[in-house]
Amino acid sequence: MKHGFRLFSRVIMVITVLATAHNTFAQGDLPTDFLSKDFHAERRQKLREKMPPRSVSVFFANPVRNRANDVDYVYHQDPDFLYLTGYREPNSMLLIFKEKQKFGGQEYDEIIFVQAKDERAEMWTGRRLGPGGVTSRLGFNVALNGAEFSRYPVDFSKFDQVLFHDFENDVRNERDSADLYDLIIQFKAKAGYPDKNKALLGTEKPANNLNVKMLSDLMDGLRGIKTKEEIDLVNMAVKVSCAGQVEVMKALKPGMSEREIQGIHEFVFKKYQAEDLGYPSIVGAGHNGCILHYIDNYRPQVNGKDMILMDLGAEYRGYTADITRTIPISGKFSNEQKIIYEIVLKAQEAAMAVCKPGTTFRDLTAATRKVVAQGLKENGIITKDEESGKYYPHGCCHHIGLDVHDRGPYEKLEENMIITIEPGIYIPENSKCDPKWWGIAVRIEDDYLLTKNGHDHLSKPAPRTVKEIEDTMALPSALDDFVLPAIKDRKSTRLNSSHT
């Protein structure tokens, strides 16, 4: 063990020297509005303050997911890990200690293990920060290569509690001996995690100092209340998503495909440098809108008699919006479409009227359900309030942030929470009501920042009322003259790039 202390001490000193000279990315390669290293350090300190005495919190990066053969999905960091570190690479782990630790003459209260610099690997898959880059760019005092964790002289048994999220996901064992798989295996051995053939810790009565429940509660409390820096990024994601809705309203024409409409939204996202989607885009025309998470978006031509439900959110610097608009493909609501739309709109506004600190999430949902049930009864679609659940089968509100369904407490609303309000009515074909309602699906979803005495309606720029939508759809689009040559497939069927 003394050899381990000496080795660990030497490694820290080497990394400290390298950090001052390390520069991974050339100036101009990266955006300048990522969260600062001070933000992440302050978040780690806030977590440390909430941790119980004599405890350590352990976090792991997300695994790399394989798409097929030798192609992986685009990597997306674990939101908790990103929140606490700003580190966007895989194969890494973070330890946050309640009290200062002393090893080999060094004193610290956090340590991160990351991917090593590797010239050949970086040529294929991109630049790595390495320990030096993590200390200089992300503000850690102690950062080591992942391979050092196997020799890291930590005794988890000395802590009253070891806090971590249980291992519910499979992780592939890659060729790298310091990949996420090996970090997890080594942690389990060091911490005395139960045999792999036994149940997850969360299903067993605790028999040791391993706690897989507390960390979720602590992170919910932190991430549910947004800081000013986070609010700015969510607001940017919302503005970009609103711009997408507006441009689609202007460009939409009968005969477009669901996929083309999706593409317009996502082009706008990229135009404003949103690096990703917060979740798979939902673009469902007609009865496809009755599928709550319809992500196929395959319909080759949308019908002017239908409405289209568009639930999309840009992800900007890791933070996502969540906005839904339902609009008439023809540009004008039919009588039945307008009736259902205005019931949903009224339901949303009922929740908005009580959206302020102190209100519960249940209060918001109850406000929307009351209006929806009344409207469906008045129009003969149901006869009893309790039947409304067939056509409004989901809750109305959730947190947004680093996740589209973000961490946060789901009791009373508090200042600086950011939530959605999203009532909906979905009437599938062959429902037990007049066929004139069949295939109508409406969801209206907006994003709100809780203020001291009320809320700010962040997604207000996206047209929401019947008049606002119809007026916007009558405006010219920058895409009106964007027509690509037709392409013929093997059967000589013309495939048009846009409406004709």
Side-chain angles (χ1 to χ4, degrees), residues 37-91:
K37 62 184 179 182
D38 291 337
F39 167 86
H40 299 295
E42 189 264 348
R43 294 291 90 191
R44 295 194 297 275
Q45 179 58 29
K46 288 293 184 183
L47 173 61
R48 187 176 292 110
E49 292 169 3
K50 292 176 177 291
M51 290 165 54
R54 293 178 54 82
S55 65
V56 56
S57 293
V58 184
F59 296 86
F60 292 88
N62 260 346
V64 175
R65 292 299 184 191
N66 182 254
R67 184 175 185 268
N69 195 16
D70 59 352
V71 177
D72 294 328
Y73 286 103
V74 174
Y75 185 71
H76 195 276
Q77 185 59 280
D78 174 79
D80 281 348
F81 204 90
L82 182 63
Y83 181 81
L84 294 169
T85 68
Y87 187 70
R88 296 172 180 270
E89 299 174 28
N91 302 319

Side-chain angles (χ1 to χ4, degrees), residues 62 76-80 223 226 234 278-279 315 318-322 398-407 410 418:
N62 260 346
H76 195 276
Q77 185 59 280
D78 174 79
D80 281 348
R223 285 177 50 190
K226 304 301 189 281
V234 173
Y279 52 94
E315 181 182 297
Y319 287 79
T320 183
D322 189 3
H398 59 80
H399 295 271
I400 59 171
L402 286 169
D403 284 306
V404 63
H405 295 152
D406 205 26
R407 284 192 177 278
Y410 278 88
I418 303 181

Side-chain angles (χ1 to χ4, degrees), residues 8 68 86 141 147 187 191 244 293 332 354 368 433 455 457 486:
F8 181 64
N141 291 324
F187 166 75
H293 289 169
K332 293 289 184 179
V354 294
T368 64
C433 62
H455 66 263
H457 186 175

Side-chain angles (χ1 to χ4, degrees), residues 244-245 247-249 251-269 281-285 297 299-303 307-312 325 327 329 473 479 497-499:
Q245 293 284 356
E247 292 307 314
V248 167
M249 288 181 191
L252 180 62
K253 301 291 187 298
M256 285 183 165
S257 69
E258 289 175 341
R259 188 74 69 189
E260 181 180 3
I261 296 162
Q262 173 189 351
I264 297 172
H265 280 281
E266 294 177 8
F267 168 75
V268 173
F269 295 175
S281 297
I282 299 168
V283 180
N297 305 340
R299 180 175 286 188
Q301 290 187 325
V302 298
N303 190 317
M307 288 194 292
I308 188 163
L309 187 155
M310 305 178 296
D311 184 341
L312 304 97
R325 290 293 183 265
I327 64 177
I329 294 168
M473 295 186 75
L479 298 176
S497 69
S498 184
H499 60 281

